[in-house]
Amino acid sequence: MSMSARIGLVAVVACAGMMFASAGSARESSLTVAIDLAADVAFAAKQGVPIVILYSLAGCPQCEIVRRSHLTPLANETPLRAIVRQLNLQSTAPIRNFDGTLTTQKAVIEQQKIDFAPVVVFYGAGGKRAGEPLVGSMLADFYGVYLENGIAEAKKSLAPTGGATKK
């Protein structure tokens, strides 16, 4: 076998290996899809934790990074620090909204004025937004810090005084 034929064979084998490796990792990780936000609010209140929702798109690589690297570990923590849910920007699946009304994921997303993915939004008492949403995948080195700050801010809103302190 000539040298150029060997190089060609090595290139084909390497490409095939990368295709198989990427096919195995192409499967998206998953978070619990929100189906009853009113029940989530009630449960979160009992637990004294905020709700964190990832607004995502199927096949979105940045959504997958946020989901896999930050939100899946958060969702699996013990003790529970947040209720973590996901909504898909293109889904018309039924969902019970924060106020208990039956609607669709798409309608909730429109009501929340989300038109980009990924967006992570923090919700405190009564399903009210708390803190600044995380838009995009941001700088990977700092995303965890931004996530922690958002959780802390949302948790403040769970206090009986709404997080306000008197001096």
Side-chain angles (χ1 to χ4, degrees), residues 71-85:
L71 297 181
T72 299
L74 176 63
N76 294 325
E77 282 184 0
T78 305
L80 184 66
R81 289 192 310 127
I83 306 297
V84 182
R85 297 292 185 255

Side-chain angles (χ1 to χ4, degrees), residues 33-93:
V33 174
I35 56 170
D36 190 339
L37 292 171
D40 288 339
V41 165
F43 182 69
K46 285 181 186 172
Q47 299 298 314
V49 299
I51 298 172
V52 177
I53 298 181
L54 169 65
Y55 294 90
S56 67
L57 283 168
C60 164
Q62 291 81 17
C63 299
E64 179 59 17
I65 290 168
V66 169
R67 189 173 26 252
R68 186 180 303 259
S69 299
H70 300 286
L71 297 181
T72 299
L74 176 63
N76 294 325
E77 282 184 0
T78 305
L80 184 66
R81 289 192 310 127
I83 306 297
V84 182
R85 297 292 185 255
Q86 174 176 289
L87 291 173
N88 185 315
L89 271 64
Q90 298 170 325
S91 177
T92 57

